Amino acid sequence: MQNLRDKLMKAGLVSEDQAKKAETSAPAPRRPPPVQSQRPEGGAPRRDERPARRDERPPRRDERPPRKDERPPRREASRPPPGRPAPAAAERPIPKLPPMPGSKAYQRIESKKQAELDKALRELVQGAQVANEAGETTFYFMTRKGKLRRLELSPTQAKQLEDGVLAVVERPEPAQIEHSLVPAATAEQMFTLSKKAVRFLNRKESPIGFMSDEDVKTQQAAEAAGTAPEIPDEPEADEGAAETESAAPTGEENAAPGSGTPEPQAP
């Protein structure tokens, strides 16, 4: 069967050269589009038209997920991401400073502390004090302000003071400071709260307030001449409380830090 070129050449309509030239310049024939299969609406797709399914197989042993220690470290929440400035730190409240010494607030606090201390000391004394046995023996002790005071005691109580069985301590009252006799154990308790609350305690290793007979005479002479220095009260003392001591029946001032050797009262 002759094609179109041969027919044209035989009829003399085109030459052989023109036919070759037309053949080389003719575009390639277009392929017809594939015929799409028609399926009824809602019908199941054919096998070759179904989408590929995901591999839903469980992971193999060699495909296990990375362990906890193999996972990349998490970014710390406190560190900002690269390129971003660090957020400003939260402002912490400034701690409240204690009141300055000398201020009214400071004085109120100290006054409250002193009142609580006086109450504790007073309760210790009231729970253990020994009644004074009046007698012919004079026992001297010194107050916290450096004043010589004396107690008129029986020889038995004076000996107990010398042996360290009894002690002379302060008894803070709301308006004044009195002095009492208490057992040595109570005096030790008071000493832990206030060293100056214990005016005499003859401890073997470290006696408190002990004075020799010579010390007593020197103090008496200085007080009589008005040259005895007055010791400033320590901070724990209540500034509003006046220190008053029990006066001797003869009108002389009470005792000094225990003389240790009671002086017999002159006839």
Side-chain angles (χ1 to χ4, degrees):
M1 184 175 182
Q2 295 181 349
N3 56 19
L4 179 61
R5 186 190 64 173
D6 294 338
K7 291 180 179 180
L8 294 175
M9 290 176 60
K10 189 175 181 179
L13 298 177
V14 294
S15 63
E16 185 178 359
D17 293 337
Q18 289 176 340
K20 289 182 180 181
K21 187 176 179 180
E23 185 178 5
T24 56
S25 60
R30 295 178 61 184
R31 297 179 60 183
V35 178
Q36 296 183 356
S37 60
Q38 300 292 331
R39 68 173 185 270
E41 185 177 356
R46 296 189 308 176
R47 180 176 298 178
D48 56 351
E49 295 178 357
R50 294 178 181 177
R53 293 182 301 174
R54 294 181 56 186
D55 189 4
E56 298 178 354
R57 295 179 303 163
R60 297 169 54 186
R61 292 184 178 181
D62 56 349
E63 297 178 357
R64 59 179 176 81
R67 295 183 302 177
K68 186 176 181 181
D69 53 353
E70 296 177 356
R71 295 176 182 175
R74 295 182 179 180
R75 179 179 299 171
E76 297 181 5
S78 59
R79 295 183 180 180
R84 293 186 181 181
E91 296 183 0
R92 297 181 179 179
I94 300 175
K96 187 177 180 180
L97 299 176
M100 296 293 294
S103 63
K104 292 183 178 180
Y106 180 84
Q107 293 177 357
R108 286 195 299 268
I109 294 175
E110 292 300 313
S111 179
K112 182 178 180 181
K113 289 181 180 179
Q114 184 62 51
E116 293 175 352
L117 176 61
D118 289 346
K119 181 180 178 182
L121 295 173
R122 183 168 58 253
E123 290 177 352
L124 283 174
V125 176
Q126 291 175 347
Q129 64 182 345
V130 177
N132 289 18
E133 298 177 0
E136 66 277 7
T137 306
T138 304
F139 189 88
Y140 289 93
F141 68 94
M142 191 81 77
T143 67
R144 67 168 58 198
K145 288 188 176 181
K147 298 297 182 179
L148 195 63
R149 297 292 182 266
R150 74 181 188 182
L151 295 173
E152 307 297 336
L153 303 175
S154 65
T156 302
Q157 285 189 333
K159 185 69 166 59
Q160 289 175 334
L161 285 170
E162 290 182 23
D163 296 340
V165 177
L166 295 180
V168 180
V169 298
E170 293 180 345
R171 187 179 76 250
E173 297 294 341
Q176 59 190 13
I177 296 178
E178 299 290 351
H179 295 86
S180 300
L181 297 178
V182 296
T186 303
E188 292 288 358
Q189 288 181 287
M190 297 177 65
F191 190 75
T192 59
L193 299 177
S194 170
K195 294 183 178 180
K196 290 215 170 176
V198 180
R199 301 318 311 157
F200 177 78
L201 176 59
N202 192 15
R203 297 189 295 190
K204 294 181 179 180
E205 297 181 356
S206 55
I208 300 173
F210 184 84
M211 293 181 69
S212 64
D213 291 343
E214 189 65 29
D215 294 335
V216 172
K217 293 178 180 179
T218 302
Q219 182 68 22
Q220 287 175 334
E223 291 185 7
T227 58
E230 184 173 342
I231 301 175
D233 204 354
E234 64 181 3
E236 67 179 14
D238 187 0
E239 298 178 357
E243 181 183 13
T244 60
E245 294 79 10
S246 301
T250 58
E252 299 181 16
E253 293 180 323
N254 289 353
S259 63
T261 53
E263 179 182 337
Q265 185 175 6

PDB file of all heavy atoms in Angstrom, residues 199-232:
ATOM      1  N   ARG A 199      24.552  37.546 141.669  1.00  0.00           N
ATOM      2  CA  ARG A 199      25.456  38.468 142.359  1.00  0.00           C
ATOM      3  C   ARG A 199      26.507  37.749 143.194  1.00  0.00           C
ATOM      4  O   ARG A 199      27.607  38.261 143.395  1.00  0.00           O
ATOM      5  CB  ARG A 199      24.656  39.415 143.262  1.00  0.00           C
ATOM      6  CG  ARG A 199      23.618  40.252 142.559  1.00  0.00           C
ATOM      7  CD  ARG A 199      24.064  40.849 141.232  1.00  0.00           C
ATOM      8  NE  ARG A 199      25.358  41.515 141.318  1.00  0.00           N
ATOM      9  CZ  ARG A 199      26.160  41.731 140.295  1.00  0.00           C
ATOM     10  NH1 ARG A 199      25.811  41.297 139.098  1.00  0.00           N
ATOM     11  NH2 ARG A 199      27.305  42.351 140.456  1.00  0.00           N
ATOM     12  N   PHE A 200      26.213  36.553 143.672  1.00  0.00           N
ATOM     13  CA  PHE A 200      27.226  35.778 144.389  1.00  0.00           C
ATOM     14  C   PHE A 200      26.894  34.294 144.283  1.00  0.00           C
ATOM     15  O   PHE A 200      25.779  33.857 144.577  1.00  0.00           O
ATOM     16  CB  PHE A 200      27.279  36.164 145.869  1.00  0.00           C
ATOM     17  CG  PHE A 200      28.259  35.332 146.643  1.00  0.00           C
ATOM     18  CD1 PHE A 200      29.617  35.586 146.562  1.00  0.00           C
ATOM     19  CD2 PHE A 200      27.824  34.275 147.429  1.00  0.00           C
ATOM     20  CE1 PHE A 200      30.525  34.798 147.258  1.00  0.00           C
ATOM     21  CE2 PHE A 200      28.719  33.480 148.122  1.00  0.00           C
ATOM     22  CZ  PHE A 200      30.079  33.745 148.038  1.00  0.00           C
ATOM     23  N   LEU A 201      27.902  33.522 143.855  1.00  0.00           N
ATOM     24  CA  LEU A 201      27.809  32.077 143.806  1.00  0.00           C
ATOM     25  C   LEU A 201      29.223  31.529 143.929  1.00  0.00           C
ATOM     26  O   LEU A 201      30.062  31.730 143.054  1.00  0.00           O
ATOM     27  CB  LEU A 201      27.174  31.595 142.495  1.00  0.00           C
ATOM     28  CG  LEU A 201      27.115  30.074 142.309  1.00  0.00           C
ATOM     29  CD1 LEU A 201      26.328  29.417 143.441  1.00  0.00           C
ATOM     30  CD2 LEU A 201      26.483  29.737 140.959  1.00  0.00           C
ATOM     31  N   ASN A 202      29.503  30.882 145.037  1.00  0.00           N
ATOM     32  CA  ASN A 202      30.859  30.398 145.313  1.00  0.00           C
ATOM     33  C   ASN A 202      31.071  29.046 144.634  1.00  0.00           C
ATOM     34  O   ASN A 202      31.042  27.988 145.270  1.00  0.00           O
ATOM     35  CB  ASN A 202      31.091  30.291 146.819  1.00  0.00           C
ATOM     36  CG  ASN A 202      32.567  30.074 147.147  1.00  0.00           C
ATOM     37  OD1 ASN A 202      33.433  30.281 146.307  1.00  0.00           O
ATOM     38  ND2 ASN A 202      32.846  29.650 148.371  1.00  0.00           N
ATOM     39  N   ARG A 203      31.302  29.082 143.351  1.00  0.00           N
ATOM     40  CA  ARG A 203      31.618  27.869 142.616  1.00  0.00           C
ATOM     41  C   ARG A 203      33.093  27.533 142.836  1.00  0.00           C
ATOM     42  O   ARG A 203      33.935  28.420 142.922  1.00  0.00           O
ATOM     43  CB  ARG A 203      31.335  28.048 141.121  1.00  0.00           C
ATOM     44  CG  ARG A 203      29.867  28.302 140.843  1.00  0.00           C
ATOM     45  CD  ARG A 203      29.556  28.260 139.362  1.00  0.00           C
ATOM     46  NE  ARG A 203      30.215  29.330 138.631  1.00  0.00           N
ATOM     47  CZ  ARG A 203      29.964  29.631 137.354  1.00  0.00           C
ATOM     48  NH1 ARG A 203      29.056  28.941 136.687  1.00  0.00           N
ATOM     49  NH2 ARG A 203      30.596  30.612 136.768  1.00  0.00           N
ATOM     50  N   LYS A 204      33.408  26.266 142.867  1.00  0.00           N
ATOM     51  CA  LYS A 204      34.777  25.864 143.172  1.00  0.00           C
ATOM     52  C   LYS A 204      35.754  26.303 142.094  1.00  0.00           C
ATOM     53  O   LYS A 204      36.860  26.766 142.386  1.00  0.00           O
ATOM     54  CB  LYS A 204      34.837  24.347 143.350  1.00  0.00           C
ATOM     55  CG  LYS A 204      34.068  23.845 144.564  1.00  0.00           C
ATOM     56  CD  LYS A 204      34.190  22.331 144.709  1.00  0.00           C
ATOM     57  CE  LYS A 204      33.439  21.837 145.943  1.00  0.00           C
ATOM     58  NZ  LYS A 204      33.536  20.366 146.108  1.00  0.00           N
ATOM     59  N   GLU A 205      35.372  26.150 140.837  1.00  0.00           N
ATOM     60  CA  GLU A 205      36.291  26.468 139.744  1.00  0.00           C
ATOM     61  C   GLU A 205      36.250  27.942 139.369  1.00  0.00           C
ATOM     62  O   GLU A 205      37.301  28.552 139.115  1.00  0.00           O
ATOM     63  CB  GLU A 205      35.960  25.601 138.523  1.00  0.00           C
ATOM     64  CG  GLU A 205      36.150  24.111 138.772  1.00  0.00           C
ATOM     65  CD  GLU A 205      35.836  23.289 137.557  1.00  0.00           C
ATOM     66  OE1 GLU A 205      35.403  23.884 136.534  1.00  0.00           O
ATOM     67  OE2 GLU A 205      36.008  22.049 137.599  1.00  0.00           O
ATOM     68  N   SER A 206      35.088  28.527 139.310  1.00  0.00           N
ATOM     69  CA  SER A 206      34.967  29.932 138.902  1.00  0.00           C
ATOM     70  C   SER A 206      33.914  30.624 139.757  1.00  0.00           C
ATOM     71  O   SER A 206      32.763  30.722 139.343  1.00  0.00           O
ATOM     72  CB  SER A 206      34.600  30.026 137.414  1.00  0.00           C
ATOM     73  OG  SER A 206      33.429  29.275 137.158  1.00  0.00           O
ATOM     74  N   PRO A 207      34.285  31.097 140.935  1.00  0.00           N
ATOM     75  CA  PRO A 207      33.318  31.773 141.804  1.00  0.00           C
ATOM     76  C   PRO A 207      32.838  33.079 141.191  1.00  0.00           C
ATOM     77  O   PRO A 207      33.557  33.743 140.435  1.00  0.00           O
ATOM     78  CB  PRO A 207      34.104  32.013 143.098  1.00  0.00           C
ATOM     79  CG  PRO A 207      35.538  31.972 142.683  1.00  0.00           C
ATOM     80  CD  PRO A 207      35.628  31.020 141.544  1.00  0.00           C
ATOM     81  N   ILE A 208      31.601  33.428 141.502  1.00  0.00           N
ATOM     82  CA  ILE A 208      30.986  34.644 140.973  1.00  0.00           C
ATOM     83  C   ILE A 208      30.783  35.624 142.127  1.00  0.00           C
ATOM     84  O   ILE A 208      30.184  35.279 143.149  1.00  0.00           O
ATOM     85  CB  ILE A 208      29.628  34.334 140.311  1.00  0.00           C
ATOM     86  CG1 ILE A 208      29.812  33.346 139.158  1.00  0.00           C
ATOM     87  CG2 ILE A 208      28.970  35.618 139.812  1.00  0.00           C
ATOM     88  CD1 ILE A 208      28.501  32.856 138.570  1.00  0.00           C
ATOM     89  N   GLY A 209      31.325  36.842 141.970  1.00  0.00           N
ATOM     90  CA  GLY A 209      31.103  37.893 142.954  1.00  0.00           C
ATOM     91  C   GLY A 209      31.832  37.711 144.262  1.00  0.00           C
ATOM     92  O   GLY A 209      31.423  38.297 145.273  1.00  0.00           O
ATOM     93  N   PHE A 210      32.895  36.902 144.306  1.00  0.00           N
ATOM     94  CA  PHE A 210      33.605  36.675 145.563  1.00  0.00           C
ATOM     95  C   PHE A 210      34.467  37.892 145.908  1.00  0.00           C
ATOM     96  O   PHE A 210      35.124  38.479 145.058  1.00  0.00           O
ATOM     97  CB  PHE A 210      34.482  35.432 145.453  1.00  0.00           C
ATOM     98  CG  PHE A 210      35.177  35.075 146.731  1.00  0.00           C
ATOM     99  CD1 PHE A 210      34.535  34.344 147.695  1.00  0.00           C
ATOM    100  CD2 PHE A 210      36.484  35.489 146.953  1.00  0.00           C
ATOM    101  CE1 PHE A 210      35.172  34.010 148.883  1.00  0.00           C
ATOM    102  CE2 PHE A 210      37.119  35.174 148.125  1.00  0.00           C
ATOM    103  CZ  PHE A 210      36.465  34.430 149.099  1.00  0.00           C
ATOM    104  N   MET A 211      34.465  38.294 147.178  1.00  0.00           N
ATOM    105  CA  MET A 211      35.284  39.402 147.680  1.00  0.00           C
ATOM    106  C   MET A 211      35.954  38.971 148.981  1.00  0.00           C
ATOM    107  O   MET A 211      35.345  38.321 149.829  1.00  0.00           O
ATOM    108  CB  MET A 211      34.423  40.648 147.948  1.00  0.00           C
ATOM    109  CG  MET A 211      33.826  41.278 146.716  1.00  0.00           C
ATOM    110  SD  MET A 211      32.868  42.756 147.132  1.00  0.00           S
ATOM    111  CE  MET A 211      34.178  43.867 147.635  1.00  0.00           C
ATOM    112  N   SER A 212      37.217  39.372 149.107  1.00  0.00           N
ATOM    113  CA  SER A 212      37.929  39.119 150.359  1.00  0.00           C
ATOM    114  C   SER A 212      37.561  40.186 151.378  1.00  0.00           C
ATOM    115  O   SER A 212      36.943  41.210 151.059  1.00  0.00           O
ATOM    116  CB  SER A 212      39.439  39.115 150.111  1.00  0.00           C
ATOM    117  OG  SER A 212      39.864  40.396 149.681  1.00  0.00           O
ATOM    118  N   ASP A 213      37.967  39.970 152.635  1.00  0.00           N
ATOM    119  CA  ASP A 213      37.699  40.961 153.674  1.00  0.00           C
ATOM    120  C   ASP A 213      38.363  42.287 153.337  1.00  0.00           C
ATOM    121  O   ASP A 213      37.803  43.363 153.592  1.00  0.00           O
ATOM    122  CB  ASP A 213      38.203  40.445 155.025  1.00  0.00           C
ATOM    123  CG  ASP A 213      37.381  39.267 155.521  1.00  0.00           C
ATOM    124  OD1 ASP A 213      36.267  39.082 154.996  1.00  0.00           O
ATOM    125  OD2 ASP A 213      37.861  38.544 156.403  1.00  0.00           O
ATOM    126  N   GLU A 214      39.559  42.226 152.721  1.00  0.00           N
ATOM    127  CA  GLU A 214      40.262  43.451 152.357  1.00  0.00           C
ATOM    128  C   GLU A 214      39.506  44.199 151.257  1.00  0.00           C
ATOM    129  O   GLU A 214      39.442  45.432 151.259  1.00  0.00           O
ATOM    130  CB  GLU A 214      41.684  43.103 151.892  1.00  0.00           C
ATOM    131  CG  GLU A 214      42.590  44.302 151.686  1.00  0.00           C
ATOM    132  CD  GLU A 214      42.859  45.043 152.994  1.00  0.00           C
ATOM    133  OE1 GLU A 214      42.837  44.400 154.061  1.00  0.00           O
ATOM    134  OE2 GLU A 214      43.082  46.275 152.915  1.00  0.00           O
ATOM    135  N   ASP A 215      38.961  43.465 150.312  1.00  0.00           N
ATOM    136  CA  ASP A 215      38.179  44.099 149.246  1.00  0.00           C
ATOM    137  C   ASP A 215      36.948  44.797 149.818  1.00  0.00           C
ATOM    138  O   ASP A 215      36.568  45.891 149.381  1.00  0.00           O
ATOM    139  CB  ASP A 215      37.740  43.056 148.213  1.00  0.00           C
ATOM    140  CG  ASP A 215      38.907  42.460 147.451  1.00  0.00           C
ATOM    141  OD1 ASP A 215      39.951  43.138 147.346  1.00  0.00           O
ATOM    142  OD2 ASP A 215      38.776  41.317 146.962  1.00  0.00           O
ATOM    143  N   VAL A 216      36.323  44.178 150.799  1.00  0.00           N
ATOM    144  CA  VAL A 216      35.132  44.774 151.413  1.00  0.00           C
ATOM    145  C   VAL A 216      35.494  46.087 152.098  1.00  0.00           C
ATOM    146  O   VAL A 216      34.793  47.103 151.956  1.00  0.00           O
ATOM    147  CB  VAL A 216      34.495  43.780 152.394  1.00  0.00           C
ATOM    148  CG1 VAL A 216      33.374  44.464 153.173  1.00  0.00           C
ATOM    149  CG2 VAL A 216      33.951  42.569 151.650  1.00  0.00           C
ATOM    150  N   LYS A 217      36.594  46.093 152.849  1.00  0.00           N
ATOM    151  CA  LYS A 217      37.001  47.305 153.562  1.00  0.00           C
ATOM    152  C   LYS A 217      37.368  48.419 152.588  1.00  0.00           C
ATOM    153  O   LYS A 217      37.043  49.598 152.806  1.00  0.00           O
ATOM    154  CB  LYS A 217      38.180  46.990 154.478  1.00  0.00           C
ATOM    155  CG  LYS A 217      37.820  46.066 155.637  1.00  0.00           C
ATOM    156  CD  LYS A 217      39.034  45.755 156.488  1.00  0.00           C
ATOM    157  CE  LYS A 217      38.673  44.820 157.651  1.00  0.00           C
ATOM    158  NZ  LYS A 217      39.843  44.480 158.498  1.00  0.00           N
ATOM    159  N   THR A 218      38.057  48.066 151.498  1.00  0.00           N
ATOM    160  CA  THR A 218      38.432  49.079 150.504  1.00  0.00           C
ATOM    161  C   THR A 218      37.195  49.693 149.859  1.00  0.00           C
ATOM    162  O   THR A 218      37.118  50.913 149.657  1.00  0.00           O
ATOM    163  CB  THR A 218      39.331  48.455 149.419  1.00  0.00           C
ATOM    164  OG1 THR A 218      40.489  47.888 150.038  1.00  0.00           O
ATOM    165  CG2 THR A 218      39.747  49.483 148.393  1.00  0.00           C
ATOM    166  N   GLN A 219      36.210  48.858 149.541  1.00  0.00           N
ATOM    167  CA  GLN A 219      34.985  49.364 148.932  1.00  0.00           C
ATOM    168  C   GLN A 219      34.207  50.238 149.906  1.00  0.00           C
ATOM    169  O   GLN A 219      33.659  51.280 149.519  1.00  0.00           O
ATOM    170  CB  GLN A 219      34.121  48.185 148.464  1.00  0.00           C
ATOM    171  CG  GLN A 219      32.828  48.585 147.772  1.00  0.00           C
ATOM    172  CD  GLN A 219      33.045  49.247 146.424  1.00  0.00           C
ATOM    173  OE1 GLN A 219      34.108  49.058 145.808  1.00  0.00           O
ATOM    174  NE2 GLN A 219      32.077  50.030 145.964  1.00  0.00           N
ATOM    175  N   GLN A 220      34.161  49.835 151.174  1.00  0.00           N
ATOM    176  CA  GLN A 220      33.463  50.642 152.169  1.00  0.00           C
ATOM    177  C   GLN A 220      34.090  52.021 152.312  1.00  0.00           C
ATOM    178  O   GLN A 220      33.398  53.042 152.393  1.00  0.00           O
ATOM    179  CB  GLN A 220      33.457  49.914 153.518  1.00  0.00           C
ATOM    180  CG  GLN A 220      32.530  48.723 153.574  1.00  0.00           C
ATOM    181  CD  GLN A 220      32.645  47.964 154.881  1.00  0.00           C
ATOM    182  OE1 GLN A 220      33.691  47.990 155.555  1.00  0.00           O
ATOM    183  NE2 GLN A 220      31.579  47.278 155.263  1.00  0.00           N
ATOM    184  N   ALA A 221      35.425  52.082 152.318  1.00  0.00           N
ATOM    185  CA  ALA A 221      36.116  53.359 152.446  1.00  0.00           C
ATOM    186  C   ALA A 221      35.877  54.234 151.231  1.00  0.00           C
ATOM    187  O   ALA A 221      35.678  55.455 151.348  1.00  0.00           O
ATOM    188  CB  ALA A 221      37.614  53.112 152.646  1.00  0.00           C
ATOM    189  N   ALA A 222      35.874  53.637 150.030  1.00  0.00           N
ATOM    190  CA  ALA A 222      35.659  54.415 148.805  1.00  0.00           C
ATOM    191  C   ALA A 222      34.251  54.975 148.758  1.00  0.00           C
ATOM    192  O   ALA A 222      34.029  56.128 148.357  1.00  0.00           O
ATOM    193  CB  ALA A 222      35.937  53.552 147.578  1.00  0.00           C
ATOM    194  N   GLU A 223      33.272  54.192 149.181  1.00  0.00           N
ATOM    195  CA  GLU A 223      31.899  54.677 149.180  1.00  0.00           C
ATOM    196  C   GLU A 223      31.700  55.767 150.229  1.00  0.00           C
ATOM    197  O   GLU A 223      30.950  56.730 150.001  1.00  0.00           O
ATOM    198  CB  GLU A 223      30.938  53.508 149.411  1.00  0.00           C
ATOM    199  CG  GLU A 223      30.869  52.531 148.232  1.00  0.00           C
ATOM    200  CD  GLU A 223      29.829  51.450 148.446  1.00  0.00           C
ATOM    201  OE1 GLU A 223      29.085  51.538 149.445  1.00  0.00           O
ATOM    202  OE2 GLU A 223      29.748  50.521 147.622  1.00  0.00           O
ATOM    203  N   ALA A 224      32.373  55.614 151.370  1.00  0.00           N
ATOM    204  CA  ALA A 224      32.249  56.637 152.407  1.00  0.00           C
ATOM    205  C   ALA A 224      32.865  57.957 151.949  1.00  0.00           C
ATOM    206  O   ALA A 224      32.345  59.043 152.257  1.00  0.00           O
ATOM    207  CB  ALA A 224      32.906  56.153 153.686  1.00  0.00           C
ATOM    208  N   ALA A 225      33.949  57.858 151.168  1.00  0.00           N
ATOM    209  CA  ALA A 225      34.603  59.075 150.684  1.00  0.00           C
ATOM    210  C   ALA A 225      33.962  59.601 149.408  1.00  0.00           C
ATOM    211  O   ALA A 225      34.320  60.695 148.937  1.00  0.00           O
ATOM    212  CB  ALA A 225      36.086  58.811 150.450  1.00  0.00           C
ATOM    213  N   GLY A 226      33.056  58.854 148.824  1.00  0.00           N
ATOM    214  CA  GLY A 226      32.396  59.278 147.578  1.00  0.00           C
ATOM    215  C   GLY A 226      33.260  59.113 146.359  1.00  0.00           C
ATOM    216  O   GLY A 226      33.014  59.756 145.330  1.00  0.00           O
ATOM    217  N   THR A 227      34.296  58.271 146.437  1.00  0.00           N
ATOM    218  CA  THR A 227      35.207  58.062 145.297  1.00  0.00           C
ATOM    219  C   THR A 227      34.964  56.731 144.585  1.00  0.00           C
ATOM    220  O   THR A 227      35.668  56.421 143.626  1.00  0.00           O
ATOM    221  CB  THR A 227      36.658  58.111 145.779  1.00  0.00           C
ATOM    222  OG1 THR A 227      36.857  57.098 146.790  1.00  0.00           O
ATOM    223  CG2 THR A 227      36.989  59.477 146.354  1.00  0.00           C
ATOM    224  N   ALA A 228      34.006  55.952 145.061  1.00  0.00           N
ATOM    225  CA  ALA A 228      33.753  54.658 144.425  1.00  0.00           C
ATOM    226  C   ALA A 228      33.090  54.868 143.066  1.00  0.00           C
ATOM    227  O   ALA A 228      32.060  55.546 142.978  1.00  0.00           O
ATOM    228  CB  ALA A 228      32.863  53.803 145.323  1.00  0.00           C
ATOM    229  N   PRO A 229      33.679  54.330 141.997  1.00  0.00           N
ATOM    230  CA  PRO A 229      33.063  54.506 140.670  1.00  0.00           C
ATOM    231  C   PRO A 229      31.774  53.701 140.547  1.00  0.00           C
ATOM    232  O   PRO A 229      31.643  52.618 141.109  1.00  0.00           O
ATOM    233  CB  PRO A 229      34.135  53.988 139.719  1.00  0.00           C
ATOM    234  CG  PRO A 229      34.901  52.981 140.523  1.00  0.00           C
ATOM    235  CD  PRO A 229      34.895  53.489 141.940  1.00  0.00           C
ATOM    236  N   GLU A 230      30.845  54.248 139.809  1.00  0.00           N
ATOM    237  CA  GLU A 230      29.580  53.552 139.564  1.00  0.00           C
ATOM    238  C   GLU A 230      29.661  52.824 138.228  1.00  0.00           C
ATOM    239  O   GLU A 230      29.972  53.421 137.193  1.00  0.00           O
ATOM    240  CB  GLU A 230      28.405  54.527 139.554  1.00  0.00           C
ATOM    241  CG  GLU A 230      27.056  53.846 139.388  1.00  0.00           C
ATOM    242  CD  GLU A 230      25.897  54.817 139.552  1.00  0.00           C
ATOM    243  OE1 GLU A 230      26.122  55.894 140.123  1.00  0.00           O
ATOM    244  OE2 GLU A 230      24.797  54.506 139.095  1.00  0.00           O
ATOM    245  N   ILE A 231      29.403  51.545 138.261  1.00  0.00           N
ATOM    246  CA  ILE A 231      29.496  50.722 137.055  1.00  0.00           C
ATOM    247  C   ILE A 231      28.241  50.920 136.216  1.00  0.00           C
ATOM    248  O   ILE A 231      27.124  50.791 136.728  1.00  0.00           O
ATOM    249  CB  ILE A 231      29.661  49.237 137.426  1.00  0.00           C
ATOM    250  CG1 ILE A 231      30.930  49.057 138.268  1.00  0.00           C
ATOM    251  CG2 ILE A 231      29.729  48.365 136.175  1.00  0.00           C
ATOM    252  CD1 ILE A 231      31.108  47.639 138.783  1.00  0.00           C
ATOM    253  N   PRO A 232      28.385  51.241 134.922  1.00  0.00           N
ATOM    254  CA  PRO A 232      27.191  51.403 134.069  1.00  0.00           C
ATOM    255  C   PRO A 232      26.412  50.097 133.985  1.00  0.00           C
ATOM    256  O   PRO A 232      26.976  49.006 133.965  1.00  0.00           O
ATOM    257  CB  PRO A 232      27.774  51.788 132.700  1.00  0.00           C
ATOM    258  CG  PRO A 232      29.154  52.269 132.992  1.00  0.00           C
ATOM    259  CD  PRO A 232      29.630  51.514 134.194  1.00  0.00           C
TER     260      PRO A 232
END
